[in-house]
Amino acid sequence: MSKLPVIEMFGPTIQGEGAVIGVKTMFVRTYGCDYRCGWCDSAFTWDGSAKDKVRMLAPEEIMAELNALAGDNFGCVTISGGNPALIGEGMGTFIRMLHERGIQAAIETQGSRWQDWFYDVDVLTVSPKPPSSGMKTNWEMLDGIMDKMKTQGSSAHSLKVVVFDDEDYQYAKSIHRRYPDVPLYLQPGNENVTEEGDISARLLGRLEWLFKQVIADPGMNKARVLPQLHALIWHNKRGK
Amino acid sequence: MSKLPVIEMFGPTIQGEGAVIGVKTMFVRTYGCDYRCGWCDSAFTWDGSAKDKVRMLAPEEIMAELNALAGDNFGCVTISGGNPALIGEGMGTFIRMLHERGIQAAIETQGSRWQDWFYDVDVLTVSPKPPSSGMKTNWEMLDGIMDKMKTQGSSAHSLKVVVFDDEDYQYAKSIHRRYPDVPLYLQPGNENVTEEGDISARLLGRLEWLFKQVIADPGMNKARVLPQLHALIWHNKRGK
């Protein structure tokens, strides 16, 4: 059976962002990414600094560890990375295993790769990266993913764009115009992911800035602006 | 045509809480409430202190004022109170008027009264009040409302409980057990709705407390915990 490269598992905690903001969830973080975003808050998943922590685990081994961590105290597992869409059939098996136990699977990916198991994800967040990341969007690939997901109905997937500056905001608008029927979440970027101490005032300032952009913009009447609640409460600490 | 008692209209701003958290919206606040919650953050809607500001407006007059305030810069109108469910056919007319213009209607009510126009509300938030409010829940009425709304499918309505303390939390759990299939939002209470200045640290402390309650509780795997974003950013200022 296909194994998955897992770099960390933790929880239960509360999902702090995006379509399932506020829901209790376990986190499974996979290793490896095809992107190198300048402001990545999980660069240890691809920069080699934590490579010795990666374990190749079978889906049932992941399941067993989640159960050991939390017993029956969760109903949702969030799979993040890195880019979980680099992983093939092992992920599909893991998602089916979650469903057999009545557990929801939430996955975030940047939309640079397709996997057939996307169809089975309960909450698929496609998060294309704006100009400030330094990455280039593969529009052909993203169009293909959004086309396929359309068949799933809009509750199954949403878009999320992290916004650091005006250029990112324009990028988010272009995403919204391109896929107008897909729920769009805007999230202010965290400009310093290594700063220690209480960063909530800085983050709330950026949330207010993004609120004001959207409030003033008739092209964004349906977009949703959300913060990262975990960062407001637990700041830049990992594993929360 | 039936007129509605309106005490304030403002926006566009961002909805800070509940099922449509993060969405741009106009606010219409109606006058009058059958409750007298001790910690009400909008007591001016029922305590008489702002009675001279109440205007009886026809649905088309409300619509015209919203258009004057915001033009085409909104896609959602949130109707709050007070208790908007005290209002009969005029509200139904207003909601139909919003729909004719492609605008979503979001309404919050405590679940103490039924109106047939509940069926037409795009996002109906039923927010029964916990013990700290000093109010007693009419369970027969609430059961009746939840029974009727069931026919609308779960995306049309949700429950929200404000939680100040352990007793409120137990009340929220009893609500969740009673209506297990209805999405439940938990929201930490704002213990001082008149405090001036930056109250975000206090509010985030209460959000963390509520996160921890839910994280530790296998009976709350599906509940969602959300703050009041507007209060984090704009504190206790009104009309934001």
Side-chain angles (χ1 to χ4, degrees):
Chain A
M1 176 155 324
S2 304
K3 295 194 167 193
L4 292 75
V6 173
I7 188 158
E8 65 176 3
M9 280 185 255
F10 59 91
T13 184
I14 303 288
Q15 171 59 261
E17 60 187 69
V20 277
I21 188 168
V23 171
K24 190 197 297 190
T25 186
M26 302 297 289
F27 276 88
V28 174
R29 201 180 282 284
T30 61
Y31 190 80
C33 198
D34 46 328
Y35 273 24
R36 301 282 179 270
C37 297
W39 37 251
C40 180
D41 62 1
S42 309
F44 64 95
T45 62
W46 50 262
D47 68 5
S49 64
K51 208 165 182 184
D52 56 322
K53 300 222 170 61
V54 183
R55 292 179 299 153
M56 295 303 299
L57 297 177
E60 61 266 36
E61 292 175 302
I62 302 174
M63 202 66 233
E65 286 202 28
L66 293 175
N67 287 337
L69 274 168
D72 65 347
N73 191 17
F74 64 105
C76 178
V77 173
T78 302
I79 299 152
S80 186
N83 183 5
L86 299 183
I87 301 166
E89 77 171 296
M91 188 63 83
T93 307
F94 179 56
I95 293 166
R96 279 191 299 278
M97 209 169 273
L98 291 174
H99 289 168
E100 279 161 20
R101 287 165 171 75
I103 296 165
Q104 206 178 41
I107 297 201
E108 177 166 332
T109 178
Q110 60 261 47
S112 59
R113 301 281 178 96
W114 170 261
Q115 294 286 350
D116 283 337
W117 50 254
F118 282 10
Y119 288 130
D120 301 320
V121 177
D122 302 281
V123 183
L124 182 76
T125 302
V126 180
S127 184
K129 303 306 173 190
S132 65
S133 68
M135 299 296 113
K136 287 261 175 257
T137 302
N138 179 338
W139 293 103
E140 201 180 333
M141 173 63 71
L142 191 58
D143 286 348
I145 292 171
M146 301 315 286
D147 268 356
K148 284 179 187 155
M149 291 308 295
K150 224 184 223 175
T151 64
Q152 295 300 90
S154 68
S155 69
H157 68 296
S158 60
L159 287 155
K160 186 176 75 176
V161 179
V162 177
V163 177
F164 282 82
D165 53 29
D166 291 332
E167 205 186 345
D168 288 356
Y169 184 77
Q170 292 307 319
Y171 174 89
K173 285 192 72 164
S174 71
I175 291 279
H176 199 31
R177 279 192 299 262
R178 200 170 182 111
Y179 316 110
D181 299 327
V182 181
L184 172 66
Y185 294 87
L186 303 183
Q187 178 180 298
N190 178 353
E191 279 146 333
N192 185 343
V193 293
T194 57
E195 183 182 354
E196 292 183 8
D198 188 342
I199 59 172
S200 62
R202 171 166 64 76
L203 297 178
L204 287 172
R206 295 310 290 166
L207 182 62
E208 182 175 15
W209 168 78
L210 195 50
F211 270 17
K212 287 179 174 170
Q213 300 294 312
V214 169
I215 286 170
D217 185 349
M220 285 295 207
N221 287 354
K222 288 181 174 173
R224 292 175 76 162
V225 188
L226 293 178
Q228 294 182 294
L229 297 179
H230 53 289
L232 287 175
I233 291 181
W234 293 307
H235 317 303
N236 282 326
K237 286 179 205 137
R238 246 181 70 197
K240 282 289 199 173
Chain B
M1 174 152 330
S2 305
K3 295 194 168 192
L4 291 74
V6 173
I7 187 158
E8 67 177 2
M9 281 185 255
F10 60 92
T13 186
I14 303 288
Q15 170 59 260
E17 62 188 67
V20 277
I21 188 169
V23 171
K24 189 196 298 189
T25 187
M26 302 298 289
F27 276 87
V28 175
R29 201 179 283 284
T30 62
Y31 191 81
C33 198
D34 46 330
Y35 273 22
R36 300 284 180 269
C37 297
W39 37 250
C40 181
D41 62 0
S42 308
F44 64 96
T45 62
W46 51 262
D47 67 5
S49 64
K51 211 166 178 183
D52 55 321
K53 301 223 169 60
V54 183
R55 292 179 299 154
M56 294 305 296
L57 297 176
E60 61 266 35
E61 290 175 302
I62 302 174
M63 202 67 231
E65 285 202 28
L66 293 176
N67 288 336
L69 275 169
D72 64 348
N73 191 18
F74 65 104
C76 179
V77 172
T78 301
I79 299 151
S80 185
N83 183 6
L86 299 184
I87 301 166
E89 74 166 280
M91 188 64 82
T93 307
F94 179 55
I95 293 167
R96 280 192 298 278
M97 209 170 272
L98 291 174
H99 289 168
E100 279 162 19
R101 287 166 171 77
I103 296 165
Q104 205 177 41
I107 297 201
E108 177 166 331
T109 178
Q110 59 261 49
S112 58
R113 302 280 178 98
W114 170 261
Q115 294 286 350
D116 283 337
W117 51 254
F118 282 9
Y119 288 131
D120 301 320
V121 177
D122 302 282
V123 182
L124 182 77
T125 301
V126 180
S127 184
K129 303 306 175 192
S132 65
S133 68
M135 299 296 114
K136 288 260 174 255
T137 301
N138 178 339
W139 292 104
E140 200 179 336
M141 173 62 71
L142 191 58
D143 285 348
I145 292 172
M146 301 314 287
D147 269 355
K148 285 178 187 155
M149 291 308 295
K150 224 184 223 175
T151 64
Q152 294 301 90
S154 68
S155 70
H157 69 296
S158 61
L159 287 154
K160 186 176 75 177
V161 178
V162 178
V163 178
F164 282 81
D165 54 29
D166 292 331
E167 204 184 346
D168 287 357
Y169 184 77
Q170 292 306 320
Y171 175 87
K173 286 192 71 165
S174 71
I175 291 279
H176 199 31
R177 280 191 299 262
R178 200 171 181 108
Y179 315 109
D181 299 328
V182 181
L184 172 66
Y185 295 87
L186 303 183
Q187 179 179 300
N190 178 354
E191 278 146 334
N192 185 342
V193 294
T194 58
E195 183 182 354
E196 292 183 8
D198 188 342
I199 59 172
S200 62
R202 171 165 65 75
L203 296 178
L204 287 172
R206 295 309 290 165
L207 182 62
E208 182 174 15
W209 168 78
L210 194 50
F211 271 17
K212 286 179 174 169
Q213 300 293 313
V214 169
I215 286 171
D217 185 348
M220 285 295 207
N221 287 353
K222 286 181 175 174
R224 292 175 76 162
V225 188
L226 293 177
Q228 293 182 295
L229 297 179
H230 53 287
L232 287 175
I233 292 182
W234 293 308
H235 317 302
N236 283 326
K237 286 179 204 138
R238 244 180 69 195
K240 281 288 202 174

